[in-house]
Amino acid sequence: MAQGPVEASAPSFHVDRIDAGRIDELVGILDVQAELPGIRRMRQWAHEALAVRAGERALDIGAGTGSEVMVFAQRVGEDGAAVGLDPNPMMLAIALRRAEAAGSAARLVHGSVYHLPFPDASFDAVRCERVYQHLDDPAAATAEIARVLRPGGRVLLIDSDWYTAITHPGDPEVVAALGAAMLAETPNPASGRRLRGLLAAGGFAIDDQGSEAVIWDPVTARPLFEQMNEQAVRQGTVTREEYDRLIAELDAGIARGDFHFSVTMFAVLAHKV
């Protein structure tokens, strides 16, 4: 059965600041995103590339709802160990409940990628998806990953590059203003393109790379635009009239089948030299 959260030092991910009132909303968004074909293809490629085997010790940093650490648990079997780490205790509690309901042996741990609560050389494989975009010091996180990996151990980093986002339809100037506002609120918005360099500088040898332009369907994207627009209106980035007009343009595009929102995700596989 899944083991309960283990306390660690105070987390440093920005997403640990999500309050209790928004956790259900976040979980709903993550569940819907997990069903996007692009996310599913990227995750399948990542598991195949990382190739976690029976008897190994595998760590999933930023475990979220726990879906991917449960995949690790199936792969490592009874003789291995699958650990999921997340900085948000409320999210960990949800992942724990899901793991227990599934009868998974995955272990859920509370902690920060800046201070991983594990000894040196603890793991054979580490996976980290869409965490680096939230980090102020990705080099420090990479050093911690290197510390907990055994020599020859593998790491698979996945992250979005928000400078690649494409939105249609909508006034290009309003779309650009909203995008700029979102980029300003994201600690590391170009994280996808920087993964290889961070790993190389951290003493890893690069083995493979992958990418996927994740296309969001209207059901998934529409709430994101509402959230972005409301925040931009409050900050004065766009006016209420511009907000209302963009939402109307998006809804009209959705109704006639003329809608597109995508962002490119990148993945890098490497091993510790």
Side-chain angles (χ1 to χ4, degrees), residues 23-245:
I23 196 69
D24 289 340
E25 175 189 355
L26 175 60
V27 169
I29 290 171
L30 292 176
D31 285 343
V32 172
Q33 289 181 3
E35 295 303 314
L36 291 173
I39 296 288
R40 296 176 68 177
R41 286 192 293 267
M42 175 59 82
R43 287 179 167 178
Q44 181 178 355
W45 178 87
H47 279 297
E48 291 174 357
L50 195 56
V52 170
R53 300 179 293 273
E56 289 193 314
R57 294 180 53 83
L59 171 65
D60 186 33
I61 297 174
T65 62
S67 61
E68 305 313 296
V69 72
M70 284 192 273
V71 175
F72 276 168
Q74 292 175 339
R75 286 175 172 254
V76 301
E78 294 181 358
D79 295 330
V83 182
L85 178 139
D86 202 274
N88 191 303
M90 293 175 290
M91 184 66 74
L92 269 181
I94 290 167
L96 175 62
R97 287 199 298 271
R98 292 188 177 188
E100 289 178 336
S104 175
R107 177 186 173 210
L108 281 308
V109 176
H110 178 243
S112 166
V113 70
Y114 295 130
H115 305 288
L116 295 172
F118 311 108
D120 296 356
S122 296
F123 294 97
D124 301 289
V126 172
R127 177 188 177 278
C128 185
E129 178 189 327
R130 288 181 288 176
V131 168
Y132 273 54
Q133 62 187 281
H134 300 291
L135 301 180
D136 296 308
D137 191 351
T142 308
E144 267 294 271
I145 290 173
R147 182 185 66 79
V148 301
L149 271 175
R150 65 167 179 78
R154 297 100 63 205
V155 58
L156 194 290
L157 302 183
I158 305 173
D159 224 307
S160 305
D161 190 318
W162 285 102
Y163 287 96
T164 68
I166 299 172
T167 302
H168 171 81
D171 183 324
E173 292 185 1
V174 177
V175 170
L178 289 171
M182 189 198 75
L183 292 172
E185 292 293 317
T186 305
N188 189 16
S191 54
R193 73 186 67 180
R194 293 174 174 161
L195 299 177
R196 180 187 177 111
L198 285 163
L199 287 168
F204 290 91
I206 308 301
D207 296 312
D208 202 355
Q209 293 180 268
S211 67
E212 182 77 34
V214 178
I215 301 171
W216 295 38
D217 58 41
V219 173
T220 310
R222 182 64 165 72
L224 175 66
F225 278 106
E226 284 192 354
Q227 180 181 349
M228 288 171 54
N229 289 359
E230 288 287 0
Q231 182 177 1
V233 169
R234 289 195 300 270
Q235 295 173 342
T237 304
V238 298
T239 66
R240 173 60 62 176
E241 292 74 21
E242 289 172 326
Y243 164 86
D244 290 339
R245 186 166 62 250

